[in-house]
Amino acid sequence: MTLQQQVKAAQAEMTQGMLYEVGDRVGLLRQVLAVLGHPENDFKIIHIAGTNGKGSTTQMLRTILTTAGYRSGAFMSPYLRDPFEQMTTDGQAITAAEFLATFTQVKQALVQLNLTPAALSEFEWYFILAMVHFQRQHVDWAVIETGLGGEFDATNALEQLELVIFTKIAYDHMALLGATLTAIATTKSKIMRPMVPVVSYPQQALEAEVVLKQAAQQNQAPFWQTQELTYQIEQFDLTGMTVSLSSELFTWSHLKLSLAGEFQVANLVTVLTAVRVLQAQLGLSTAVIRQALLQVHLPGRLQVIGHAPTVLLDGAHNPDGSQAVVTTLQRLAPQRPVTLVLGMLRDKNYRKMLHILLPSATRVVVTTPNNPQRQLPANELATACRQIAPHLPLTVCAVPQQALQVARQQATADELIVVTGSFYLVKELLPDA
């Protein structure tokens, strides 16, 4: 078999639907890690949970660590082009040969536990593979994102942490995590560990903040969150922004960030707070931090993929994410007509997302994202749009590529086309690297 055929055969063995809360998943994964010799204990870990902003926060921190000369891993989801994107070292995804070697090592560990590859879900597989890969790559630090929630997430098998970070906690996955912010935050708070410092998003909702502070207190964990933040955005466009920030924890003047979106300011504050907490360990210079923030790259988040008309891809897939997109559009181009290309999943709060998104649109093209189990068919999404905005011009195109083509035909050169609603839609329209 060719290398690619071997990879596909291995991936076929590990493909398994979600096993969230099916037995003691975290306990099982700790057993697997133990048989593997606890690879996760060979490097320092920053563990990140939250509803929105995990990807931006992870990439900023990972880029800072790499720029400072630390060999740095990142475990992130979802992926856009290839599942190997979930496991990167210094920004480089695992190679096919490295994947196969790591897969073989983990499969042998499962045999020792009398388990088949199907005993782990696909996400659990990639988490374990990432830990082994980072050990094999001799990383110094790894930034690890939760996949879903916290308490029952695969990544909660990690026990030795240097720092826990909570990005913005909002409503998503309510069927699994609970219907209130208190319930959602409680589940996420379970990744805290005794005495391990905690950093929280600067504008955390009060219900979530109360839960996180109480959990930190119970864990005797130092709790860090800016309380006296002021900032001024000095330059702002689709290539990023320049911002000056001041708080009781840090002061930065004319800091340039290569990520677009006003919502990134709060993510940046979270990162700068984390840097402040870890400074004694990392010894980061201001020049390194400035250089790193200019190099941060995050596909699928306000990513420009076309001009005249400008085409933006954004994977916002919950109401909070949709609001962040609209706020950014209002700041970037308050007078420019906007064509929305929308595709959503049935199990998301898509009606609330539509209430947020549709008032900003001149017209809308609806399509069906590529997720056969969870997709909301374009015709059903069109019906929901018409109920909320009956006079908004609307076109239905079941195929995402055709939907974008139609949007480009309808829009004038000075308009904006915004593709949003699901990462599964963004994946379909992402240009080749």
Side-chain angles (χ1 to χ4, degrees):
M1 285 195 293
T2 67
L3 195 63
Q4 207 52 44
Q5 287 172 330
Q6 292 177 63
V7 167
K8 287 186 177 178
Q11 289 174 327
E13 283 193 74
M14 55 190 273
T15 299
Q16 167 69 275
M18 185 185 288
L19 295 172
Y20 190 83
E21 284 191 291
V22 179
D24 181 10
R25 308 307 306 168
V26 171
L28 173 62
L29 294 174
R30 285 178 177 162
Q31 288 181 51
V32 177
L33 289 169
V35 171
L36 288 162
H38 284 295
E40 76 283 8
N41 293 343
D42 280 4
F43 44 88
K44 296 180 177 181
I45 294 173
I46 300 169
H47 200 182
I48 300 182
T51 307
N52 292 325
K54 293 196 298 292
S56 302
T57 303
T58 296
Q59 282 290 44
M60 281 190 252
L61 279 170
R62 200 281 308 156
T63 306
I64 288 170
L65 289 164
T66 296
T67 305
Y70 295 99
R71 191 151 175 78
S72 307
F75 177 67
M76 303 174 64
S77 60
Y79 63 88
L80 290 177
R81 290 188 180 90
D82 188 294
F84 288 3
E85 295 168 15
Q86 296 172 102
M87 302 170 282
T88 62
T89 304
D90 293 335
Q92 298 300 309
I94 188 172
T95 66
E98 290 164 348
F99 167 80
L100 287 170
T102 307
F103 175 83
T104 300
Q105 188 176 341
V106 175
K107 188 175 176 181
Q108 289 170 349
L110 292 178
V111 169
Q112 291 183 51
L113 291 167
N114 295 315
L115 297 173
T116 67
L120 304 184
S121 71
E122 184 177 8
F123 182 81
E124 291 167 345
W125 255 107
Y126 278 110
F127 165 65
I128 297 290
L129 289 171
M131 298 305 101
V132 175
H133 177 59
F134 294 156
Q135 181 193 49
R136 294 168 70 102
Q137 291 292 308
H138 305 291
V139 305
D140 304 304
W141 286 81
V143 187
I144 310 296
E145 287 184 22
T146 57
L148 176 62
E151 181 176 10
F152 303 111
D153 188 72
T155 64
N156 205 30
L158 298 169
E159 297 186 88
Q160 295 186 22
L161 310 174
E162 298 298 316
L163 182 66
V164 172
I165 296 176
F166 294 96
T167 63
K168 187 172 187 179
I169 295 174
Y171 291 100
D172 202 1
H173 302 292
M174 279 96 81
L176 293 170
L177 303 183
T180 66
L181 283 183
T182 298
I184 294 169
T186 298
T187 300
K188 293 181 186 293
S189 74
K190 302 298 184 181
I191 71 167
M192 290 188 199
R193 296 291 180 263
M195 311 294 288
V196 175
V198 174
V199 167
S200 183
Y201 182 84
Q203 300 160 5
Q204 205 69 268
L206 180 60
E207 304 99 305
E209 187 176 326
V210 167
V211 169
L212 296 180
K213 283 183 175 177
Q214 288 177 345
Q217 193 171 25
Q218 290 164 3
N219 280 281
Q220 296 181 288
F223 186 87
W224 295 75
Q225 182 185 45
T226 56
Q227 298 299 321
E228 301 167 19
L229 176 70
T230 60
Y231 70 89
Q232 181 179 1
I233 297 175
E234 297 157 348
Q235 176 270 330
F236 187 90
D237 59 29
L238 287 172
T239 66
M241 70 184 85
T242 302
V243 59
S244 290
L245 312 99
S246 180
S247 77
E248 76 282 11
L249 299 178
F250 51 75
T251 299
W252 289 89
S253 298
H254 317 303
L255 193 57
K256 295 182 179 180
L257 175 65
S258 62
L259 296 178
E262 187 166 357
F263 59 91
Q264 294 292 7
V265 174
N267 293 329
L268 175 60
V269 170
T270 305
V271 169
L272 294 175
T273 305
V275 166
R276 168 78 167 78
V277 175
L278 293 172
Q279 183 62 11
Q281 289 190 66
L282 296 174
L284 300 171
S285 70
T286 57
V288 160
I289 295 168
R290 287 182 181 276
Q291 180 186 350
L293 293 174
L294 279 171
Q295 299 170 348
V296 181
H297 178 60
L298 193 63
R301 279 79 161 187
L302 287 177
Q303 179 181 357
V304 179
I305 64 162
H307 298 278
T310 302
V311 181
L312 292 178
L313 295 184
D314 194 277
H317 53 278
N318 54 46
D320 186 73
S322 297
Q323 185 59 62
V325 170
V326 169
T327 301
T328 296
L329 293 178
Q330 290 169 344
R331 185 180 185 104
L332 272 174
Q335 306 303 322
R336 289 175 75 177
V338 174
T339 297
L340 289 175
V341 177
L342 300 179
M344 298 179 177
L345 301 183
R346 186 185 297 280
D347 57 3
K348 297 293 184 178
N349 191 352
Y350 64 88
R351 290 187 180 276
K352 188 167 183 180
M353 292 167 65
L354 293 176
H355 276 287
I356 294 166
L357 291 166
L358 295 179
S360 67
T362 304
R363 67 181 72 83
V364 60
V365 182
V366 297
T367 188
T368 307
N370 183 20
N371 186 318
Q373 289 77 36
R374 299 165 61 200
Q375 67 193 20
L376 182 69
N379 285 329
E380 290 187 40
L381 182 56
T383 299
C385 288
R386 291 187 179 110
Q387 291 170 347
I388 293 166
H391 303 297
L392 187 66
L394 183 146
T395 308
V396 179
C397 291
V399 179
Q401 289 81 1
Q402 292 177 356
L404 181 55
Q405 185 177 358
V406 166
R408 281 180 158 137
Q409 291 168 348
Q410 293 178 347
T412 60
D414 64 340
E415 292 187 24
L416 273 174
I417 297 173
V418 181
V419 180
T420 190
S422 172
F423 272 113
Y424 290 95
L425 173 61
V426 168
K427 286 180 188 181
E428 291 293 294
L429 299 176
L430 202 67
D432 293 334

